[in-house]
Amino acid sequence: MAYTVINPADETVVTTVQRLDIEEVDAAIFGATVAQKEWARRAPLDRATLLRRFAEAVDRDLENLAQLETRNSGHPITQARGEAASVRDVLEYYSGAPERLIGQQIPVSGGMNVTFHEPMGVIGIITPWNFPMSIAAWGFAPALAAGNAVLLKPAEWTSLTSIRLGELALEAGLPEGLFQVTPGQGPVVGERFVTHPDVRKVVFTGSTEVGKRIMAGASEQVKRVTLELGGKSANIIFGDADVEAAALAAPSSVFDNAGQDCCARSRLLVQRGVFDRFMNVFEGAVQDLRVGDPLDPDTEMGPLVTLSHRDHVTSFVDDDSLVAFRGSCPSGPGAWFPPTVMTPSRDHRVVEEEVFGPVVAVLPFDDEADAIKIANDSKYGLSGSIWTQDLSRAIRVSRAVESGTLSVNSHSSVRYSAPFGGMKQSGIGRELGPDAPLQFSETKSVFYAASEN
Ligand code: NDP
């Protein structure tokens, strides 16, 4: 059965996509198990070379991938180009891994003990709709590098770039069956990754609700999981910070990708003494944000991903008296929503729940202890920023905030060379960084007895 993909900027039909059913998913899993065994036997240099060729194929197709993402997801074209380039870079980075999966030689008596990093087998990756290609690459590049096969189930709303990446892998010479894109419904295709015994690990990025189901289901087979489940991250502005710089940088920290970002700093904590000064500069910066046609290279924020998602986002702005100010957005067809700045109470729903849209809640705080208390008063712990010119405070607060990925005096986005992931209900496990291939391998310890001559 096919479904229709809609351009969120103008509500036109982009294309239709064929959904896989359970039998087709099972056939894909079988093909992957066969391909994986052959892949794991290949020389590390062969695997590295093919991953480099895959990166080159992505590079040649960069503009096409970016255009596809813009039409499918509404991402501003400049950002979409960056996302396509990041897929290439992640593949290049992990193409170094097959030849560097180095085990240990452990001193023991009576022989020799060594460890091997064995591939797990078939990995099922379930991706969300907010950064379709980048998040897919964070999983498939290190997984393939570690000698696994990969099945990728993209979110239904945004499957087009993933499907194209599957084609590019084949064009680059990756063996048939090794990296397959399996579009379809979450409860059908995604669920099958959880229940099928030949899928040895599930990597899931998406809602906490579905993530919990996946973890519960995976426990039946003690299946490995990596979960990345969103956040409600704090951007903390201390009175001793460069307040103007912090206010000018704040819009991108929460309105990039129209706020559809698990790392969005959607709680903005500002120390009372500089609150008014901060808000004044912040308001100008929000109103200067260029929201509009995603194909225009100067556009900074596009539409939301679908009309139904816009309804979800709208539900958080239920009281106009809490809206401090808003930016602009086009009217007419498309899932448009203006950047919106709210000043709610600390217990308002918009402070607690992930909005996944361009809505930020600004809260004043008294002192360092109060800022840390508010920042940690969340079930999530994914990302966040700290603005201060006091180095000791930067060290204290970055250690005290319960979050997996923080930046000081910047809003650093995800870097493929550094680990990324969340604490608390933001997830389990880490993606990216030098150790990511180890998340896709099992350590095997072997003792070789050596008799005395
Ligand atoms: P979901 O968690 O429903 O979807 C994420 C992925 O999981 C999609 O590929 C989806 O497939 C799949 N999926 C859905 N149900 C199952 C299932 N039972 N078993 C296996 N896979 C499944 O997120 P939503 O798209 O509904 O977004 C809801 C909210 O989640 C957002 O508003 C946001 O708050 C949060 N979210 C967080 C993200 C993050 O980066 N951490 C990313 C996206 C959303 P299908 O497309 O078919 O539904």
Side-chain angles (χ1 to χ4, degrees), residues 72-261:
N72 188 169
S73 313
H75 292 194
I77 188 71
T78 308
Q79 288 170 33
R81 287 181 183 131
E83 289 158 31
S86 83
V87 176
R88 174 203 59 207
D89 294 345
V90 169
L91 275 164
E92 263 171 14
Y93 182 69
Y94 289 111
S95 69
E99 295 178 281
R100 293 186 178 87
L101 273 172
I102 296 163
Q104 292 174 306
Q105 182 275 114
I106 296 160
V108 287
S109 60
M112 175 179 72
N113 207 122
V114 294
T115 61
F116 299 94
H117 299 297
E118 302 287 10
M120 288 176 168
V122 177
I123 310 293
I125 300 178
I126 303 169
T127 51
W129 43 262
N130 57 334
F131 290 105
M133 6 177 199
S134 335
I135 293 178
W138 301 351
F140 69 67
L144 291 169
N148 301 282
V150 170
L151 298 175
L152 168 62
K153 190 219 103 56
E156 287 224 274
W157 289 345
T158 57
S159 50
L160 302 188
T161 47
S162 295
I163 292 169
R164 181 67 190 138
L165 287 171
E167 294 165 358
L168 290 171
L170 285 176
E171 282 172 36
L174 262 71
E176 193 90 32
L178 185 72
F179 173 53
Q180 300 175 62
V181 181
T182 54
Q185 292 170 308
V188 178
V189 181
E191 185 90 26
R192 193 64 184 135
F193 291 177
V194 177
T195 57
H196 198 298
D198 287 342
V199 177
R200 296 292 166 81
K201 174 166 185 167
V202 175
V203 178
F204 170 82
T205 306
S207 64
T208 305
E209 189 194 344
V210 175
K212 286 177 181 172
R213 280 190 54 162
I214 286 177
M215 193 169 172
S219 73
E220 289 291 317
Q221 297 167 22
V222 198
K223 189 171 287 197
R224 278 68 174 143
V225 290
T226 292
L227 304 176
E228 204 276 88
L229 309 177
K232 193 73 206 174
S233 299
N235 177 13
I236 309 174
I237 321 293
F238 284 100
D240 64 40
D242 179 340
V243 173
E244 277 67 31
L248 291 173
S252 68
S253 80
V254 60
F255 299 137
D256 266 7
N257 205 28
Q260 303 165 126
D261 182 347

Side-chain angles (χ1 to χ4, degrees), residues 20-33 151 180 196:
L20 267 63
D21 60 24
I22 291 277
E23 287 71 33
E24 290 166 313
V25 180
D26 283 0
I29 294 170
F30 177 73
T33 58
L151 298 175
Q180 300 175 62
H196 198 298

Side-chain angles (χ1 to χ4, degrees), residues 16-81:
T16 54
V17 173
Q18 204 62 35
R19 287 190 176 110
L20 267 63
D21 60 24
I22 291 277
E23 287 71 33
E24 290 166 313
V25 180
D26 283 0
I29 294 170
F30 177 73
T33 58
V34 175
Q36 189 272 328
K37 289 190 175 64
E38 193 266 331
W39 180 242
R41 277 197 299 269
R42 285 201 184 200
L45 177 60
D46 283 359
R47 281 190 266 137
T49 303
L50 282 169
L51 289 176
R52 282 183 196 116
R53 288 201 187 130
F54 190 3
E56 286 158 15
V58 170
D59 189 53
R60 282 193 297 275
D61 205 58
L62 213 130
E63 186 59 24
N64 175 46
L65 284 165
Q67 295 278 343
L68 208 51
E69 198 65 271
T70 294
R71 287 205 306 282
N72 188 169
S73 313
H75 292 194
I77 188 71
T78 308
Q79 288 170 33
R81 287 181 183 131

